[in-house]
Amino acid sequence: MHNPYKRWRYYLNVETMNRKGYLVLLLSVLILAGCNASRNSSSAQDAVVSINSLPRNIYIEGGKFHVQGVVVDVKRGYAYFSFTTSLVKTNLKGEIIGSVEGFLGHLGCLDVNPEDGRLYASLEYKSDNIGKGILKGLGNDSLLSKQQGSSFYIAIFDPEKITRPGMHAEKDPVLTTVYLKEVLDDYTATVKHKGKEVQHRYGCSGIDGISFGPQFGKKNGKTYLNVAYGIYSDTSRSDNDYQVILQYDPRELKKYERRLSQNHFEAIGPDKPLNKYFVYTGNTTYGIQNLEYDPYTGFWLAAVYNGKKTLFPNYGLFAIDGGKAPVLETLKRFDNGEKGKVLQLAKAGSYDVKTNTYGWHFKWGATGIHSLGNGYFYISENGTTKEKKQYCNLQLYRWTGNPDIPFEKVK
């Protein structure tokens, strides 16, 4: 016969053990929660300290050509500026650390590849008025007779090798290039529109805006390089109302990299982009000047020079919704019923009912915008000094998303 006292003592011990287990588990949860709270609090404080430690502005003067794009590496304490025919590296006080000179073409928007830390920029050589103006502005008219035509590249800089002012784009091993055949094909194409033959498919004037970020429709995952077309301002056409973005896998581009040669343009690069996207904004003057992915909002911010068509509100800033995957659509107001992968504007900013477009009338950003990833940005405010020198005054801004003013200066 079983002893009831022993059985009662056995259940008591099990219950006691269970209670102890629950207490241990509860205590562990509380400790972990405290650690996480502490960690989150620490992260929030780090973000505040990081912003508080940053300069409210970074000022630098260039030469005859205005600033085209900017990158700010807050971790390493450097800023980079594209001044059309040169790349300038400074510290966060605006003191020049080094520069790469000698470009005979248009060096545009900048961004940094998060995987390898290298700087990517759009680089174009054109025989149009822009290209001729650059060569003339360099002060050597003989260069005009040596012009080889048009060619378009991604320029890739190793920032650690930019160690002194006056480094040369060809003579010093600081950069490589990748040729973009798709851009030249569209730039040189003749298409039919409204019964007439017109030059430059989609109004393509070359490339400018450039940025890294996740695939459209995703918040995370592999990072891709997106390169935006320049678009000629032409109010007589209706097939130039889309921004055009080419997408590439930067890992696949490495096999095409070559040293820059301006005496003989290398045509080494992918035959086609990974994807070709369209964004309906209305025609703008020279397309997306600066493209910047912002992980804080999930937007791809596109800063432009205002368009001139009275049909459109002619915003200076658009936000492409990175959370929405592209949709195959028939492109609006094309003669041939062409279809394309269309990206969506975010429902943010001011809304124009007539054209179903969103955006902001914001003055700055077309000459440089860099997201710090936590709701803060450095935005270029450019101008000309009394001595006729171009300058860039990078201002620290905070994102508001307000329909009237999307950014406010950090004081």
Side-chain angles (χ1 to χ4, degrees):
M1 177 179 284
H2 295 291
N3 188 326
Y5 172 76
K6 287 183 178 180
R7 184 180 296 174
W8 175 82
R9 188 174 62 181
Y10 167 77
Y11 285 125
L12 179 63
N13 288 340
V14 170
E15 183 67 19
T16 302
M17 289 172 64
N18 286 341
R19 286 179 180 175
K20 286 181 179 179
Y22 293 144
L23 288 173
V24 170
L25 178 61
L26 179 60
L27 183 60
S28 299
V29 169
L30 290 174
I31 291 173
L32 286 173
C35 289
N36 287 334
S38 175
R39 204 174 285 125
N40 292 337
S41 175
S42 177
S43 298
Q45 289 175 0
D46 289 344
V48 172
V49 170
S50 177
I51 292 300
N52 288 340
S53 65
L54 290 177
R56 289 340 188 218
N57 73 300
I58 305 171
Y59 179 86
I60 180 175
E61 292 182 3
K64 294 181 179 180
F65 300 105
H66 74 78
V67 64
Q68 301 283 349
V70 299
V71 163
V72 183
D73 186 344
V74 295
K75 290 183 179 179
R76 294 174 179 82
Y78 297 116
Y80 301 87
F81 304 80
S82 163
F83 275 98
T84 309
T85 60
S86 65
L87 179 77
V88 181
K89 176 182 181 179
T90 74
N91 59 24
L92 298 188
K93 295 180 181 179
E95 298 168 337
I96 295 177
I97 304 299
S99 64
V100 182
E101 316 283 344
F103 290 99
L104 303 180
H106 180 286
L107 190 68
C109 180
L110 304 172
D111 201 10
V112 62
N113 184 343
E115 292 188 1
D116 62 18
R118 295 190 296 171
L119 293 175
Y120 284 58
S122 57
L123 176 61
E124 57 179 22
Y125 298 87
K126 297 189 293 184
S127 55
D128 66 355
N129 290 334
I130 296 174
K132 292 176 181 178
I134 289 173
L135 294 180
K136 190 173 182 179
L138 289 170
N140 189 344
D141 291 341
S142 64
L143 292 172
L144 293 170
S145 62
K146 297 179 181 179
Q147 200 172 44
Q148 302 179 55
S150 302
S151 202
F152 305 91
Y153 299 91
I154 296 168
I156 306 170
F157 297 85
D158 185 339
E160 293 185 357
K161 292 182 179 179
I162 305 174
T163 56
R164 57 180 173 81
M167 301 183 78
H168 197 273
E170 293 178 89
K171 298 175 183 177
D172 291 301
V174 293
L175 78 142
T176 55
T177 59
V178 176
Y179 174 71
L180 301 182
K181 180 180 180 295
E182 184 80 3
V183 184
L184 185 67
D185 288 346
D186 285 341
Y187 178 76
T188 57
T190 298
V191 297
K192 281 194 173 184
H193 180 63
K194 296 181 179 179
K196 298 179 181 180
E197 287 192 345
V198 293
Q199 293 182 322
H200 312 297
R201 185 182 289 118
Y202 314 120
C204 174
S205 71
I207 51 175
D208 214 330
I210 189 170
S211 186
F212 285 89
Q215 184 59 274
F216 292 101
K218 297 182 179 180
K219 294 184 178 179
N220 300 301
K222 289 176 64 175
T223 296
Y224 294 89
L225 173 67
N226 290 292
V227 183
Y229 277 7
I231 306 288
Y232 284 117
S233 175
D234 188 344
T235 59
S236 68
R237 295 175 67 167
S238 61
D239 62 345
N240 60 356
D241 291 333
Y242 285 86
Q243 306 297 335
V244 182
I245 297 175
L246 305 183
Q247 185 179 80
Y248 297 91
D249 186 337
R251 292 154 287 271
E252 293 296 319
L253 296 180
K254 290 183 178 180
K255 60 187 175 186
Y256 300 111
E257 291 184 30
R258 297 293 187 276
R259 290 282 298 276
L260 174 65
S261 173
Q262 298 179 116
N263 290 322
H264 174 71
F265 290 143
E266 297 283 359
I268 301 174
D271 288 335
K272 290 288 182 181
L274 183 65
N275 285 296
K276 191 172 193 174
Y277 297 124
F278 297 85
V279 188
Y280 189 70
T281 62
N283 183 240
T284 57
T285 303
Y286 296 120
I288 296 177
Q289 293 292 297
N290 266 252
L291 182 67
E292 180 71 357
Y293 176 68
D294 175 38
Y296 181 77
T297 58
F299 295 161
W300 293 78
L301 296 174
V304 306
Y305 297 140
N306 303 89
K308 298 175 182 177
K309 290 185 179 181
T310 56
L311 171 65
F312 294 91
N314 297 317
Y315 298 121
L317 180 70
F318 299 93
I320 303 167
D321 192 340
K324 291 187 177 180
V327 177
L328 186 64
E329 296 179 0
T330 300
L331 301 179
K332 299 177 184 179
R333 306 173 77 199
F334 275 62
D335 284 5
N336 58 4
E338 181 177 344
K339 291 186 177 181
K341 298 176 182 177
V342 178
L343 301 172
Q344 304 301 312
L345 291 176
K347 294 181 179 180
S350 298
Y351 176 61
D352 183 67
V353 178
K354 184 168 57 176
T355 59
N356 190 30
T357 56
Y358 292 83
W360 292 268
H361 293 289
F362 186 64
K363 183 177 180 180
W364 306 111
T367 60
I369 179 169
H370 179 83
S371 168
L372 298 178
N374 51 5
Y376 291 87
F377 294 77
Y378 273 111
I379 300 177
S380 165
E381 296 182 3
N382 66 298
T384 309
T385 68
K386 293 180 180 178
E387 294 76 24
K388 306 298 182 183
K389 285 186 176 183
Q390 295 285 339
Y391 70 81
C392 173
N393 189 24
L394 266 187
Q395 291 280 348
L396 186 62
Y397 278 86
R398 185 180 70 84
W399 171 259
T400 67
N402 187 293
D404 297 322
I405 305 176
F407 301 98
E408 63 179 12
K409 285 187 181 181
V410 178
K411 297 179 181 180

